[in-house]
């Protein structure tokens, strides 16, 4: 089956989440499996499906800094998506062409990322459940959900990290340990920039090429139907308090 | 609501807010950075735990998972049940 590629685009948090859900419905209805890339503008914090927005996100600081906040349909933790510091990828495909086994599909998609990083000189490995690490530090995080036998998988490649900014947007129960968390994040998290001299664009091309390796594909666009459905989901779901504050 | 917050084996942070009435769960909310497929199962787990005593929690969670073909990652029925016990003890010794 031919894959559809949607090249790197810029989306705000609400569009990003809405298009992904619209895409899942579209693929369930027969659309080609799709690989798409985006960056977040404005930068945003996304939280996992089971997290609490009020517990985990410093909403006041997000608003002060012009950072959006949103709940994902996937589990996992809170992520700060910096416009300049991250490449986000999404893969939506039937289980039949990836894997029915969840852990296996994480591993399979992570291999695409790992091979892409290799071409820019970064040796990385898959760390279950959902991370990719280089020299023991996280460089990519992933999450997925499944609906109607369709896999919706998304992940981020950290191009540049700023733990100070990240923790200014996330809520830490005990302010006294904030400094400790920042130093610990610096020890646990790394970025392309810290491991390679390649630029943002070059990193994107390397990852994209690796994702498409050995696949038949065509460069596509969102269909009118997907545009329309995403617009609807923005209004009825992703911008609503009911969704973002459901836990 | 009394709560129990714990970094479980596997590194995921789980927070449980729970209220008891006559030693039975009357309200419960489980939050955290774990994974659960299908995601809708969490609401069923919470609903099924209402009215249960501490000794019934683990079995209730396991049954709900089984009946819904659900899998948890980064969290399990044992750690959730343990956390409910911790929250219960906090209330009991308040």
């Amino acid at each position: 089956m031919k894959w559809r590629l949607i090249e790197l685009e810029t989306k705000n948090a609400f569009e990003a989440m809405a298009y992904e859900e619209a895409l899942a419905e579209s693929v369930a209805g027969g659309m080609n499996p799709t690989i798409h890339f985006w960056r977040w503008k404005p930068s945003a914090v996304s939280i996992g499906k089971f997290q609490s927005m009020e517990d985990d996100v410093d909403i006041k600081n997000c608003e002060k800094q012009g950072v959006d906040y949103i709940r994902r349909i996937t589990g996992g933790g809170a992520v700060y998506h910096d416009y300049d510091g991250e490449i986000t990828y999404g893969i939506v495909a039937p289980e039949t062409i990836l894997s029915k086994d969840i852990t296996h599909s994480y591993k399979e998609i992570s291999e695409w990322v790992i091979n892409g990083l290799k071409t820019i000189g970064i040796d990385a490995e898959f760390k279950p459940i959902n991370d990719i690490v280089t020299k023991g530090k996280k460089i990519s995080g992933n999450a997925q959900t499944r609906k109607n036998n369709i896999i919706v998988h998304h992940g981020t490649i950290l191009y540049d990290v700023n733990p100070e900014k990240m923790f200014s947007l996330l809520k830490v129960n005990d302010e006294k340990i904030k400094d400790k968390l920042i130093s610990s994040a610096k020890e646990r998290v790394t970025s392309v920039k810290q491991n390679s001299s390649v630029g943002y664009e070059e990193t994107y091309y390397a990852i994209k090429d690796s994702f498409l390796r050995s696949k038949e594909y065509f460069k596509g666009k969102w269909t009118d139907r997907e545009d329309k459905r995403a617009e609807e989901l923005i209004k009825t779901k992703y911008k609503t308090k009911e969704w973002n504050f459901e836990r | 609501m009394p709560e129990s917050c714990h970094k479980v084996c596997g590194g995921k942070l789980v927070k449980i807010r729970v209220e008891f009435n006559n030693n039975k769960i009357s309200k419960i909310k489980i939050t955290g950075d774990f994974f659960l497929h299908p995601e809708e199962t969490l609401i069923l787990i919470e609903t099924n735990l209402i009215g249960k005593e501490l000794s019934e929690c683990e079995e209730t969670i396991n049954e709900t998972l089984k009946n819904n073909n659900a899998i948890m990652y980064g969290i399990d029925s044992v750690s959730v049940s343990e956390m409910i016990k911790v929250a219960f003890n906090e209330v009991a010794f308040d």
Side-chain angles (χ1 to χ4, degrees):
Chain A
M1 196 186 265
K2 254 192 184 178
W3 288 77
R4 173 176 63 160
L5 164 73
I6 295 177
E7 294 257 22
L8 183 68
E9 53 187 357
T10 298
K11 292 213 173 306
N12 68 39
F14 312 104
E15 290 166 342
M17 297 296 97
Y19 268 90
E20 208 163 40
E21 190 167 336
L23 174 57
E25 292 172 4
S26 177
V27 173
M31 167 54 77
N32 299 65
T34 300
I35 293 171
H36 62 122
F37 295 91
W38 78 94
R39 57 202 300 197
W40 307 61
K41 195 174 191 178
S43 298
V45 172
S46 76
I47 60 166
K49 166 78 177 151
F50 309 120
Q51 290 190 293
S52 156
M53 188 68 82
E54 278 164 342
D55 284 355
D56 294 306
V57 180
D58 190 330
I59 294 162
K60 267 191 190 164
N61 247 340
C62 283
E63 284 172 354
K64 214 162 112 187
Q65 298 191 48
V67 169
D68 284 338
Y69 44 91
I70 195 162
R71 178 182 302 280
R72 301 189 305 271
I73 53 170
T74 55
V79 182
Y80 169 57
H81 306 279
D82 188 86
Y83 175 73
D84 294 308
E86 193 190 275
I87 296 167
T88 311
Y89 49 86
I91 297 119
V92 178
E95 285 177 329
T96 45
I97 64 166
L98 284 169
S99 173
K100 258 194 171 289
D101 179 85
I102 292 170
T103 311
H104 191 266
S105 63
Y106 268 102
K107 193 169 187 294
E108 190 177 345
I109 294 166
S110 295
E111 288 299 326
W112 306 352
V113 178
I114 290 164
N115 291 334
L117 290 172
K118 203 171 198 170
T119 62
I120 54 169
I122 299 174
D123 279 324
E125 58 184 324
F126 174 57
K127 188 182 171 203
I129 310 166
N130 58 324
D131 290 338
I132 295 168
V133 298
T134 180
K135 296 172 196 155
K137 294 182 178 189
K138 179 171 173 170
I139 194 163
S140 166
N142 294 270
Q144 73 169 245
T145 183
R146 292 168 180 232
K147 275 202 173 62
N148 308 315
N149 303 316
I150 300 296
I151 298 176
V152 179
H153 183 110
H154 47 211
T156 62
I157 292 160
L158 291 162
Y159 178 73
D160 198 6
V161 279
N162 182 346
E164 282 87 359
K165 174 132 193 197
M166 187 170 88
F167 281 105
S168 74
L169 301 165
L170 302 181
K171 225 178 227 175
V172 179
N173 286 337
D174 186 349
E175 281 298 313
K176 284 179 278 184
I177 63 162
K178 203 167 207 167
D179 285 346
K180 268 192 192 165
L181 287 174
I182 292 170
S183 348
S184 128
K186 281 179 181 166
E187 279 161 30
R188 287 183 293 109
V189 179
T190 188
S191 66
V192 170
K193 225 173 167 181
Q194 286 171 27
N195 290 275
S196 170
S197 57
V198 302
Y200 185 98
E201 300 277 302
E202 210 179 322
T203 304
Y204 165 61
Y205 293 133
I207 297 297
K208 182 182 73 171
D209 288 349
S210 172
F211 273 41
L212 297 170
R213 201 166 297 153
S214 314
K215 288 186 187 68
E216 262 195 274
Y217 73 95
F218 65 95
K219 284 187 188 181
K221 285 182 180 169
W222 299 107
T223 63
D224 289 346
R225 205 171 168 175
E226 287 164 342
D227 284 335
K228 215 172 160 190
R229 179 65 180 137
E231 218 171 278
E232 198 175 272
L233 284 164
I234 290 170
K235 280 189 206 136
T236 58
K237 181 171 180 179
Y238 290 104
K239 274 200 170 176
T240 67
K241 215 174 170 186
E242 289 75 30
W243 170 253
N244 288 314
F245 289 81
E246 81 171 6
R247 281 193 171 264
Chain B
M1 236 196 299
E3 62 178 50
S4 169
C5 189
H6 188 55
K7 201 142 187 128
V8 296
C9 181
K12 300 296 178 192
L13 188 73
V14 182
K15 191 182 267 186
I16 295 182
R17 290 190 170 96
V18 58
E19 272 179 22
F20 298 91
N21 192 356
N22 289 330
N23 292 340
K24 288 179 178 171
I25 294 172
S26 57
K27 258 188 194 173
I28 184 160
K29 184 74 93 188
I30 305 168
T31 58
D33 58 357
F34 53 89
F35 292 93
L36 171 59
H37 298 274
E39 287 80 4
E40 294 74 26
T41 316
L42 189 63
I43 291 174
L44 298 174
I45 290 174
E46 290 171 341
T47 308
N48 292 344
L49 282 170
I50 305 289
K52 297 290 186 301
E53 292 183 1
L54 291 180
S55 59
E56 300 171 296
C57 291
E58 195 182 323
E59 199 190 328
T60 304
I61 297 167
N62 284 334
E63 241 172 53
T64 313
L65 291 171
K66 198 178 157 198
N67 293 341
N68 292 281
N69 258 335
I71 312 170
M72 280 173 157
Y73 292 88
I75 176 179
D76 55 51
S77 57
V78 178
S79 46
V80 173
S81 307
E82 280 304 315
M83 289 172 71
I84 296 172
K85 274 180 207 163
V86 171
F88 178 81
N89 289 336
E90 270 174 29
V91 184
F93 295 110
D94 245 1

